[in-house]
């Protein structure tokens, strides 16, 4: 099977790429000529790569038969991205990719819809991101009579090699650097934190099961266990304190909740569990792994 992977230089995409290659999939990736390849430089020679800012999006489909597209590229609104840039990536580019895959008779299009509501550093872009993603899902449904679509709605994934702007990485680094204090909300909002390896396992399972899916399928991807943000942060603090002295003061309640803050997440992981998947990495083990990677 030949897979076209977008977002291969990003957090999720890079972890997916490494695992797909381990399993001997043929992988074609789309990136930009300016993309930072530090996450995948060790395996770049093993894939066929196209710089999408230099070649037409049809080129990889013309050069080889693409059996499935795994679409992970996302613009959250970092680096002062304009609304038009967010929409251009999350909707217009995605729609062009979907349209092209359909034209070339690709069998399955796996779409990624990530949840990052804990990420206070990006909150002002949440509505722009969410709207662009919701609009693309409507197009996925529209095209699903011509190409099989699987939409994966990811809960709060975390793990090694994530961006420093992501909440889990950021708060971990604040404590590892032993900053004087960190202002936080009260922290009783609940989130479903899922380790990156477990997320990758979901994609691999979806590839294996793709033939049984209907025209449009959608899955919530999470552990099914929600934890208060305060408890999650304190678990990180506890693990760091086992390794090095830490005196960072965590000022829970110093910041107000955002307007419209979700205190719990609505998710239904039963359809995913029914396919035979279950998370393997506990929160405690996941935290140990991200700390280990951060101090190396």
């Amino acid at each position: 099977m030949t897979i076209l992977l977008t977002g291969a230089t990003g957090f999720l995409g890079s972890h997916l790429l490494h695992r797909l290659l381990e399993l001997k999939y043929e992988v074609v990736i789309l990136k930009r000529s300016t993309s930072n390849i530090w996450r995948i430089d060790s395996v770049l020679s093993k894939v066929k790569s196209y710089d999408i800012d230099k070649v037409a999006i049809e080129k990889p489909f013309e050069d080889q038969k693409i059996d499935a597209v795994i679409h992970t590229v996302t613009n959250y609104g970092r680096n002062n991205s304009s609304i038009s840039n967010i929409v251009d990536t999350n909707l217009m580019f995605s729609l062009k990719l979907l349209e092209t895959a359909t034209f070339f008779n690709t069998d399955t299009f796996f779409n990624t819809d990530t949840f990052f509501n804990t990420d206070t550093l990006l909150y002002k872009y949440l509505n722009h991101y969410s709207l662009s993603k919701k609009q693309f899902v409507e197009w996925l449904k529209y095209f699903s009579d011509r190409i099989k679509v699987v939409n994966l709605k990811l809960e709060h994934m975390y793990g090694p090699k994530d961006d420093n702007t992501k909440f889990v990485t950021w708060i971990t680094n604040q404590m590892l650097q032993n900053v004087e204090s960190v202002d936080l909300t009260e922290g009783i909002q609940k989130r479903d934190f899922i380790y990156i390896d477990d997320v990758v396992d979901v994609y691999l399972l979806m590839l294996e099961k793709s033939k049984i899916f209907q025209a449009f399928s959608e899955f919530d991807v999470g552990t099914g266990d929600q934890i208060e943000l305060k408890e999650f942060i304190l678990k990180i603090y506890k693990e760091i304190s086992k390794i090095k002295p830490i005196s960072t003061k965590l000022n829970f309640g110093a910041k107000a909740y955002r307007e419209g803050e979700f205190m719990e997440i609505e998710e239904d992981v039963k359809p995913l569990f029914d396919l035979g998947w279950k998370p393997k990495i506990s929160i405690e083990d996941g935290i140990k792994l991200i700390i280990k990677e951060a101090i190396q």
Side-chain angles (χ1 to χ4, degrees), residues 117-129:
N117 200 41
T118 309
D119 204 332
T120 56
L121 303 179
L122 298 173
Y123 184 67
K124 67 179 180 178
Y125 297 106
L126 179 60
N127 289 338
H128 309 149
Y129 165 86

Side-chain angles (χ1 to χ4, degrees), residues 229-280:
L229 189 59
K230 181 177 182 178
E231 184 180 352
F232 184 83
I233 294 169
L234 290 175
K235 284 180 181 289
I236 299 175
Y237 192 100
K238 180 180 179 181
E239 286 301 323
I240 291 176
S241 67
K242 294 177 181 178
I243 300 170
K244 57 181 292 187
I246 179 172
S247 57
T248 299
K249 184 178 180 182
L250 302 173
N251 297 323
F252 291 106
K255 295 178 69 174
Y257 289 115
R258 302 171 304 220
E259 184 179 351
E261 179 82 51
F262 293 104
M263 301 312 291
E264 292 188 18
I265 304 302
E266 291 185 8
E267 59 177 338
D268 180 10
V269 297
K270 186 178 184 301
L272 178 60
F273 279 44
D274 286 346
L275 289 177
W277 177 89
K278 285 188 178 178
K280 299 175 182 175

Side-chain angles (χ1 to χ4, degrees), residues 23-286:
L23 294 172
K24 308 302 181 184
Y25 282 97
E26 294 292 327
V27 185
V28 176
I29 68 170
L30 301 184
K31 66 178 188 65
R32 292 185 178 277
S33 58
T34 55
S35 295
N36 189 335
I37 61 170
W38 69 275
R39 291 183 178 98
I40 64 169
D41 55 359
S42 64
V43 296
L44 200 53
S45 62
K46 299 179 181 179
V47 303
K48 195 164 185 179
S49 175
Y50 293 84
D51 290 333
I52 201 62
D53 53 332
K54 292 186 174 182
V55 302
I57 199 168
E58 295 82 6
K59 179 65 172 167
F61 293 88
E62 292 170 346
D63 289 352
Q64 58 259 302
K65 168 64 175 157
I66 302 296
D67 299 298
V69 171
I70 298 180
H71 185 41
T72 74
V73 70
T74 297
N75 186 339
Y76 295 108
R78 293 189 180 89
N79 302 319
N80 296 315
S81 291
S82 64
I83 294 175
S84 59
N85 284 337
I86 294 170
V87 172
D88 187 55
T89 300
N90 297 341
L91 180 58
M92 301 309 297
F93 171 73
S94 299
L95 182 55
K96 180 64 175 175
L97 179 65
L98 174 62
E99 190 176 34
T100 305
T102 303
F103 179 81
F104 283 93
N105 297 314
T106 299
D107 183 68
T108 311
F109 191 101
F110 297 92
N111 186 55
T112 305
D113 194 355
T114 52
F115 182 86
F116 63 99
N117 200 41
T118 309
D119 204 332
T120 56
L121 303 179
L122 298 173
Y123 184 67
K124 67 179 180 178
Y125 297 106
L126 179 60
N127 289 338
H128 309 149
Y129 165 86
S130 297
L131 180 57
S132 62
K133 283 291 190 176
K134 286 177 181 177
Q135 289 172 336
F136 183 54
V137 170
E138 292 305 309
W139 284 108
L140 288 168
K141 293 176 180 176
Y142 177 81
F143 274 85
S144 64
D145 63 340
R146 286 165 277 176
I147 184 173
K148 193 179 298 181
V149 172
V150 180
N151 190 43
L152 300 175
K153 300 163 64 178
L154 310 187
E155 294 301 332
H156 200 113
M157 61 181 172
Y158 70 102
K161 295 183 171 60
D162 204 353
D163 294 331
N164 290 329
T165 55
K166 296 287 189 64
F167 179 79
V168 175
T169 308
W170 174 78
I171 192 66
T172 301
N173 286 337
Q174 292 293 294
M175 288 187 270
L176 283 172
Q177 293 163 16
N178 203 23
V179 300
E180 184 177 346
S181 64
V182 180
D183 289 344
L184 300 157
T185 66
E186 189 178 351
I188 64 171
Q189 64 271 52
K190 292 183 177 181
R191 297 292 181 263
D192 187 342
F193 291 93
I194 179 169
Y195 192 73
I196 184 63
D197 287 0
D198 284 330
V199 176
V200 170
D201 282 345
V202 171
Y203 280 84
L204 298 176
L205 179 64
M206 293 295 159
L207 282 170
E208 294 174 11
K209 301 285 189 179
S210 62
K211 294 188 184 302
I212 71 171
F213 296 142
Q214 303 300 315
F216 179 87
S217 301
E218 191 168 64
F219 295 91
D220 289 341
V221 180
T223 67
D225 293 322
Q226 298 183 20
I227 182 175
E228 287 188 358
L229 189 59
K230 181 177 182 178
E231 184 180 352
F232 184 83
I233 294 169
L234 290 175
K235 284 180 181 289
I236 299 175
Y237 192 100
K238 180 180 179 181
E239 286 301 323
I240 291 176
S241 67
K242 294 177 181 178
I243 300 170
K244 57 181 292 187
I246 179 172
S247 57
T248 299
K249 184 178 180 182
L250 302 173
N251 297 323
F252 291 106
K255 295 178 69 174
Y257 289 115
R258 302 171 304 220
E259 184 179 351
E261 179 82 51
F262 293 104
M263 301 312 291
E264 292 188 18
I265 304 302
E266 291 185 8
E267 59 177 338
D268 180 10
V269 297
K270 186 178 184 301
L272 178 60
F273 279 44
D274 286 346
L275 289 177
W277 177 89
K278 285 188 178 178
K280 299 175 182 175
I281 308 297
S282 67
I283 283 180
E284 290 76 14
D285 288 341

